[in-house]
Amino acid sequence: ENKNNRQNVYKFIIQLTGILVGAILLGFVLLVLAYMLPTERMRQNVAVTAEQINTEGQYYQWAKGYKNAQTDTYTDASLLLNAMYPGSGSAVRDAMNAPRLLYGDDNNEVSVVLLANGDTGETHEVCYGRYWHGSLILLKPLLLLFDLGDIRMISMIIQMGLLFVVIMGFCRRQLYKELTGFFGAIITLNPVTMIFGWCFSIEYVLMLLMTAILLYFHEELQKGYNYYLYFLINGILFVYFNELSFPMIGFAIPLIVYLLLSKEKVKEKIKKEVVFGMLWGVGYAVVWLGKWILAWIFTGYNYFKEAIEQAERYTSDHATWEVENPTLIDRLVKNINMYMKWPFLMMAIVLLGIICVSMIRKHAKITGEKLVAALPYLLVCLLPFAIFTVLGNGYSYVHYWFTHRLLAISVFAGITMLFTITGTKENHT
């Protein structure tokens, strides 16, 4: 039996290595193919909706005064410039360097409009190759066929469709009360903002997709090492497609669903949380490292040095351009304050009211056993605060206007934890 276990472990390690290497090579090939597409039609389709870009400007808020309603138009415009880049003559070099043309100062939105309209003014090239920018394998083909308005509507249909599939998955599993926590998480993320923003929508769609897979194929994933590979691939997908906005939702929200479906004991659940987290991190880190290696090979540029410098900036507790040496408390307050508005507070009151009513109706009592059962959810609930602590002012203070969405994890895990503690969580099949 021990021999069989060792063989299974060796087989899993070989699978893991194969998936990592395969993902790096596949990601590379897909990106190069995307950069081989002609860009003139893309430029024309962007020009059709240039007025939309002009109207929305930089960091558009569809609800004024709400940072939660703010899209990352700067990054979206950067990706549009990547997509429209006319080419240096080498698709491989362009895929690795992610170049874009800028007119004058670092204003992506203005440059998008000028480039789309064929402005012949002076430009300079900026490369941003330390990320994969995998969403370009979707954006470039879409721009060949559609303008930005079309793409936004297509994105809305996909997001709403996946959300419907996920909700049906909860109902199929009879996780009716747990939908309360998931609803809270979705509102915290703000699905309308996800529709408006391309780079946000990629992470949101991936999260919904990975959650749906888990809800519909839990039994198949339980076989062998399938769940371990699921979280490994999850991490790979998020590093390939995301722009470092709030990728941890891709790991944590499916993990909460896993905890809801699992019949394992608390100790085993916590053990799985740690292992799944490590595998997600391995997929994320190794495939990201693969990008730097390939870029170094094909362009000669040392992205390792740039990445280390940026990592120091993002994890630093030093001064920002807003305030001198903000503390951890400053970072936490900055992110939590995004929800200190009446609509969110009223939603919180309603959700807590639902929990209280459920508790009263069932005459629930809090016991030590229930508190222990809630521990796996507590660990997930604390995850965003751990990120705000580790990733310092460069990430969680300066970029609070999108990092606050990590609190969607705490909302989902926290409400599920309260249902568990109050005994209102039922047995599910």
Side-chain angles (χ1 to χ4, degrees), residues 365-408:
K365 294 181 180 179
I366 299 174
T367 64
E369 185 179 356
K370 292 176 183 177
L371 290 171
V372 171
L375 283 176
Y377 301 107
L378 176 62
L379 292 177
V380 185
C381 188
L382 295 174
L383 185 57
F385 300 96
I387 295 170
F388 294 151
T389 301
V390 175
L391 294 181
N393 296 321
Y395 179 68
S396 55
Y397 187 89
V398 173
H399 296 97
Y400 71 96
W401 55 272
F402 59 72
T403 62
H404 69 269
R405 286 190 168 83
L406 292 174
L407 293 172

Side-chain angles (χ1 to χ4, degrees), residues 150-174:
D150 296 330
I151 292 172
R152 188 173 283 180
M153 293 303 290
I154 292 168
S155 179
M156 181 270 291
I157 293 168
I158 292 172
Q159 290 177 39
M160 292 299 181
L162 278 173
L163 183 58
F164 175 78
V165 169
V166 170
I167 291 171
M168 291 302 294
F170 271 88
C171 295
R172 180 172 173 264
R173 297 285 179 179
Q174 299 180 25

